[in-house]
Amino acid sequence: VGLVSNYSLIINSINKIAWQSLSSVTGSFGNFNVDSTEKRRNEVFNELYLATFWIYGFITICLLVLLNPFISVWLGDRYFVNLSTVFALVLITYVSGMNFPTYTFRVTSGLFDEIKYNYVLFAITNILLSIILGIKLGLAGVYFATIISRIACVEIKEAKIVCKKVLNISLLKFLMKYTLSFALVVVSYLFINNIIKLITLNGIVGFVLKAITCVFLVNGIFIIMFFRTKEFRALLNRANSIFIRR
């Protein structure tokens, strides 16, 4: 647990910045969800989903690739934890971060009663699964229990509420989109990790080179995958408008 705290410090700090950055736009959704048309709500939700995926997909891949090299430079190789624990810690951040669009649309639409008992169920399930998987898998099992419990008890329910009462779309359609997004993160990580392994330099110089390579590759893959989509063009136009005003 002491070793994991070093990883948690880095991951939680980055996650806090990302969540606060996204949360800065939450206040604008209250009146929007009341006054807008169903079509427009779906468009804005898809834009928010893409922005959230880009941020948390980028964070997830970079953390998986660069955490151990950073720990090596910062503290030394003796402070490594096993890769399964690192994967679990980072996936908790991805799963909780990707819940932001549905969470935001549910909260700003005033839908609270529908999910209030799910958080209690999440807590109970998390404790039970943590014991079971902790015995079988060790420390990593405790963190994987959090991921499974969160998805099963909270995120699917939250997505169902938003799909049915706010967006009027099929839950299956959203889950398919969510699955494909996660698959893109996995494939991108496997590809980028193999490229990073070709960089044999160690120390600060090696880490900086790996970090620069990772940043360019992740964003390059995402641009290739999404630059033709309507959501990407809409986000790009918003960014250009903000830049021009400033």
Side-chain angles (χ1 to χ4, degrees), residues 125-160:
T125 305
N126 191 20
I127 292 171
L128 295 176
L129 271 182
S130 293
I131 294 170
I132 296 170
L133 295 183
I135 292 171
K136 292 183 176 296
L137 302 176
L139 185 59
V142 177
Y143 295 116
F144 279 119
T146 300
I147 298 169
I148 297 169
S149 303
R150 185 178 183 91
I151 292 175
C153 299
V154 175
E155 299 209 358
I156 292 179
K157 177 66 173 181
E158 201 147 41
K160 182 179 180 180

Side-chain angles (χ1 to χ4, degrees), residues 30-87:
N31 291 333
F32 171 80
N33 283 332
V34 174
D35 300 333
S36 62
T37 63
E38 182 181 293
K39 179 181 178 182
R40 185 57 185 152
R41 284 197 297 272
N42 275 274
E43 290 174 348
V44 172
F45 178 84
N46 288 332
E47 291 174 26
L48 181 61
Y49 183 90
L50 177 58
T52 303
F53 170 76
W54 201 297
I55 291 171
Y56 277 96
F58 173 80
I59 289 172
T60 298
I61 295 169
C62 287
L63 284 175
L64 289 175
V65 172
L66 299 173
L67 257 178
N68 275 345
F70 179 78
I71 292 293
S72 178
V73 172
W74 178 31
L75 299 171
D77 293 355
R78 66 185 183 278
Y79 286 92
F80 284 171
V81 298
N82 60 70
L83 284 177
S84 60
T85 302
V86 176
F87 281 125

